[in-house]
Amino acid sequence: LEALDRAAERKPAAFYDKSNARRLFGDDMWLSASRIESYYRCKFAYFCKYGLKAEPRRTADLDALAFGTLTHFVMERVLPEYAREGFENIDRTRVLADAEDAVNQYVAETMGGLEDKPGRFAALLNRLVRISGALLWQVVRELRQSRFMPVDFELSVGGQPEDDKPSIPPVVLSLPDGGRVRVQGKIDRVDVYRRDGISYVRVVDYKTGSREFSLYDISLGLNLQMLLYMIALTQGSDSDFSGFFPAGILYMKAGFLECAEEAETGYSPLSDDSVKRLKLCAAQLKRSGLIVEDDSAIEAMDSGFSGWYAPVVRNKDGSYSKHSSLISQASFKLLEDFALQKVREFGNGLIIGKISPIPCGRDPKHLACAYCDYSSVCDRRKYMYRLISSADGDKLRTAISVKEDA
């Protein structure tokens, strides 16, 4: 009767007996950074997906999710061999052939090959082969001019070592009531640069969407993944990267490349017979992220300070452009501490049963509710949402604004 009364009065979803939340989610939570982000995007959707284990059925198709997995597969299969041989020895013809072989291997291993697949599938696969080749070639071009070199691919954080692949411990946080949160996952790529006895490390993530680094997102508990991975690398209890200086976190677009309307018929980002075509392709693959202020490390990433391979551009007078995404070493540490605090807030909120449907977004008309798998069982009212505000990002920026000599 009590449950019926709550439904009739349209009270917000919550665990009214807090012990039920603890029994459902446990005292020792192992989860990925993306799960934490999904909680901050909408607590009710998190409850449905990870508490009730309610999952929609998905067909074996090359949708955006599958393409993201495919991109990681191609990079993991091909780049380690290139790193051993030296990127300066790899030409474009080989890159395109290796990308095609890797895509075909992925389809054979995960989707049963091309048999019984419709013509649309084969056409999309052909497009993915071209795009994967373009992405892989861009990475090779970047690493040819970079003094940062890849040392790990798909590095497991908190997982068990598999097939001689390394693993580092998870990020472990204790909660006030005795519970623990352990953050695990996989780092797409770990790059290292050494100079005069100093070692730098950067984390690279391949993203199929349009995500870019934003303090606005961080302030709400979104987009914490890369910061948590850097913490696992440089502050872990048993990590080969302890003592390394964080050089930055980088996102590389790994999704469909769009063609410009004015491009010629038959436009392909793989074509190198036109300067314009190369620029159009490269512009979509500009890196975003956050770079720690260190001239040597920045030049090691992007030797010409062009802004293509790191979100940093140098002016003619030697100063950095105001559009450069830079942060001091001290401020980066404070930002890492803030990320850990958001993880603790997540753990505390989950254990006490905070699962109200209050989604966040940049615009009330464009919340995640429009494509949510759980909208049919959600009783969210129109005024229940949180906006991603520039003011929140500005507050965080002020809180972490510390000079190196402070």
Side-chain angles (χ1 to χ4, degrees):
L1 291 179
E2 196 173 322
L4 290 175
D5 288 339
R6 289 198 297 269
E9 296 173 13
R10 297 196 65 184
K11 291 184 177 180
F15 282 93
Y16 291 91
D17 183 347
K18 309 304 181 188
S19 62
N20 289 334
R22 183 180 293 273
R23 283 196 295 269
L24 180 63
F25 296 110
D27 290 318
D28 194 357
M29 293 179 277
W30 287 78
L31 40 84
S32 65
S34 58
R35 277 200 186 191
I36 298 172
E37 177 168 336
S38 67
Y39 179 81
Y40 280 112
R41 287 197 178 279
C42 181
K43 298 176 176 63
F44 183 73
Y46 181 98
F47 164 69
C48 290
K49 185 172 184 177
Y50 300 111
L52 300 181
K53 303 294 192 295
E55 289 274 10
R57 290 187 177 183
R58 300 192 184 279
T59 57
D61 198 1
L62 289 171
D63 56 11
L65 182 62
F67 182 52
T69 305
L70 183 150
T71 300
H72 287 79
F73 182 91
V74 171
M75 298 294 182
E76 184 184 12
R77 289 302 174 97
V78 179
L79 285 179
E81 181 61 30
Y82 289 179
R84 286 189 289 269
E85 295 182 25
F87 290 95
E88 67 278 1
N89 299 317
I90 309 300
D91 62 30
R92 181 170 167 272
T93 301
R94 177 179 171 184
V95 167
L96 303 186
D98 288 344
E100 182 174 6
D101 289 344
V103 170
N104 290 332
Q105 182 181 356
Y106 174 84
V107 172
E109 292 181 3
T110 65
M111 298 182 174
L114 290 174
E115 293 184 8
D116 301 323
K117 298 293 192 300
R120 172 185 170 276
F121 184 95
L124 181 56
L125 179 64
N126 187 49
R127 183 184 179 194
L128 296 183
V129 166
R130 297 196 304 271
I131 295 171
S132 297
L135 296 173
L136 187 58
W137 178 235
Q138 282 293 323
V139 173
V140 170
R141 292 181 64 189
E142 173 196 1
L143 294 174
R144 279 179 172 180
Q145 60 85 51
S146 174
R147 279 174 280 164
F148 274 86
M149 285 293 110
V151 294
D152 279 299
F153 304 88
E154 298 294 323
L155 177 63
S156 175
V157 178
Q160 295 297 321
E162 301 175 3
D163 301 327
D164 297 325
K165 292 181 180 179
S167 175
I168 61 174
V171 176
V172 182
L173 295 174
S174 298
L175 302 178
D177 63 354
R180 282 190 298 188
V181 175
R182 304 173 191 255
V183 183
Q184 58 187 354
K186 282 193 176 181
I187 306 176
D188 292 347
R189 202 177 86 214
V190 180
D191 296 350
V192 165
Y193 164 58
R194 293 181 173 88
R195 175 188 62 85
D196 300 333
I198 302 175
S199 297
Y200 300 88
V201 61
R202 71 176 182 183
V203 177
V204 180
D205 197 45
Y206 307 124
K207 288 297 178 189
T208 54
S210 58
R211 171 177 294 183
E212 294 185 357
F213 183 85
S214 166
L215 285 180
Y216 310 150
D217 291 346
I218 298 291
S219 67
L220 289 180
L222 310 176
N223 217 355
L224 301 177
Q225 183 182 56
M226 300 284 273
L227 291 170
L228 295 174
Y229 286 164
M230 184 63 80
I231 291 169
L233 285 170
T234 60
Q235 301 179 37
S237 58
D238 181 23
S239 172
D240 293 336
F241 302 95
S242 295
F244 279 56
F245 286 92
I249 52 181
L250 285 176
Y251 293 108
M252 175 183 171
K253 180 180 174 62
F256 291 109
L257 301 178
E258 298 177 0
C259 301
E261 292 181 0
E262 68 274 14
E264 301 91 338
T265 302
Y267 167 85
S268 169
L270 299 182
S271 299
D272 60 1
D273 56 354
S274 167
V275 173
K276 178 181 178 182
R277 291 184 178 188
L278 283 176
K279 287 184 176 180
L280 286 171
C281 178
Q284 296 177 64
L285 296 174
K286 269 190 174 182
R287 312 306 190 258
S288 68
L290 188 64
I291 304 301
V292 176
E293 292 183 46
D294 184 297
D295 290 347
S296 176
I298 296 170
E299 187 175 16
M301 291 186 201
D302 190 341
S303 59
F305 297 95
S306 66
W308 292 112
Y309 303 122
V312 178
V313 176
R314 177 173 278 181
N315 297 318
K316 292 181 179 180
D317 63 1
S319 63
Y320 290 111
S321 163
K322 65 179 182 179
H323 300 296
S324 297
S325 183
L326 290 169
I327 188 172
S328 70
Q329 190 78 46
S331 294
F332 190 84
K333 178 61 172 64
L334 290 178
L335 190 61
E336 290 179 321
D337 292 342
F338 181 84
L340 293 176
Q341 180 57 34
K342 297 305 290 186
V343 175
R344 291 190 185 94
E345 291 176 9
F346 155 81
N348 291 332
L350 200 59
I351 284 181
I352 65 174
K354 289 186 176 181
I355 59 167
S356 297
I358 306 178
C360 68
R362 298 184 184 278
D363 184 332
K365 297 181 179 179
H366 298 89
L367 301 172
C369 306
Y371 49 86
C372 179
D373 293 323
Y374 311 104
S375 57
S376 62
V377 293
C378 177
D379 64 347
R380 182 186 75 87
R381 300 181 185 183
K382 290 185 177 180
Y383 61 83
M384 296 171 62
Y385 58 83
R386 293 180 303 149
L387 289 183
I388 298 175
S389 168
S390 59
D392 294 322
D394 292 340
K395 289 179 183 177
L396 177 56
R397 183 178 290 103
T398 300
I400 64 173
S401 293
V402 176
K403 298 296 182 182
E404 289 297 340
D405 57 355

